Amino acid sequence: MKNAKKVLRILKKILNVVVTIFVIFFLLIVLLQRFSDNKISFFDFRLFTVITGSMEPKYNVGDVLVAKAIDVDEIKIGDTISYLGSSGSFKNKVVTHEVVDIEKDVDGKYIFHTQGINNLIEDPIVYEDQLYGKVIYKTVILSFIYKVISTNIGMFIFVVIPILYIVSSELLTFMLEKADKKRKDI
């Protein structure tokens, strides 16, 4: 009986650690990128959330995309890139669109022509210094979590409940250990 309790206690601690790490890691990435205006990357990777239907059906609203910073000479026509818009309605917005043409200016710097799959007109010209990276992956799990978290019920299920679970679990463990200690002292 003592061994079973010990194993359950260890499993509970492992579960607490895993849940805590996942919640903290996810929130840290999202918050850090939001508050840094996506200027900070993790090992050249960034997460972006699709907010318009310009790239449907390839990427839907709410999909979470992973972009990796790569050398600009590796980008090809047809690649999907994320960049910081610099003019018009794109100014200071992160845009994720497909490369439709590539040129070089007189200084040998790359100029990208991009366009959303569902857009009728091309985006303003994208210079290489505007690039965040090439989209390499659409995360199904994070996309699902983001879509769920963006609702009130989802926020409660995926954020509030795990935090309450961790806090109450630690509090209960502390109280049980304290009660066990009192019994042993008697």
Side-chain angles (χ1 to χ4, degrees):
M1 187 72 169
K2 270 189 172 181
N3 287 338
K5 282 185 179 181
K6 207 176 215 183
V7 169
L8 284 174
R9 210 176 302 135
I10 290 169
L11 288 174
K12 191 172 107 183
K13 285 189 183 227
I14 291 171
L15 180 64
N16 282 350
V17 168
V18 169
V19 169
T20 303
I21 288 172
F22 178 77
V23 169
I24 289 172
F25 184 71
F26 183 71
L27 290 175
L28 179 68
I29 289 172
V30 170
L31 292 174
L32 193 58
Q33 286 195 326
R34 297 236 175 172
F35 289 119
S36 74
D37 290 329
N38 289 304
K39 288 179 177 52
I40 297 174
S41 66
F42 290 96
F43 305 104
D44 289 335
F45 291 93
R46 287 186 167 90
L47 293 176
F48 298 106
T49 305
V50 177
I51 59 171
T52 71
S54 66
M55 289 296 288
E56 288 180 345
K58 189 174 185 177
Y59 304 120
N60 298 309
V61 173
D63 283 348
V64 177
L65 308 176
V66 178
K68 182 176 188 327
I70 62 171
D71 290 332
V72 290
D73 57 350
E74 293 180 33
I75 297 174
K76 298 173 190 68
I77 292 174
D79 286 344
T80 303
I81 60 172
S82 293
Y83 65 91
L84 183 63
S86 64
S87 64
S89 62
F90 291 80
K91 188 170 181 88
N92 296 324
K93 293 180 183 172
V94 176
V95 181
T96 301
H97 282 164
E98 218 170 72
V99 176
V100 294
D101 195 19
I102 303 171
E103 300 175 13
K104 283 189 177 182
D105 67 10
V106 292
D107 297 325
K109 296 197 182 238
Y110 283 91
I111 299 172
F112 298 96
H113 297 266
T114 61
Q115 184 173 344
I117 293 171
N118 287 324
N119 292 355
L120 298 174
I121 58 171
E122 201 175 277
D123 303 343
I125 288 177
V126 179
Y127 297 95
E128 64 181 64
D129 61 341
Q130 293 174 250
L131 290 180
Y132 283 130
K134 175 182 169 182
V135 174
I136 58 166
Y137 189 68
K138 175 175 92 170
T139 64
V140 176
I141 294 170
L142 290 181
S143 296
F144 173 75
I145 291 172
Y146 177 82
K147 288 174 185 174
V148 172
I149 284 180
S150 62
T151 67
N152 290 336
I153 293 171
M155 177 65 100
F156 184 75
I157 290 170
F158 281 100
V159 176
V160 174
I161 288 177
I163 290 172
L164 288 175
Y165 168 77
I166 291 166
V167 170
S168 62
S169 173
E170 289 301 315
L171 187 61
L172 183 62
T173 301
F174 173 76
M175 290 170 51
L176 288 173
E177 287 173 356
K178 193 172 181 180
D180 279 347
K181 189 176 179 185
K182 276 186 180 180
R183 271 188 251 141
K184 287 178 183 176
D185 288 344
I186 292 178

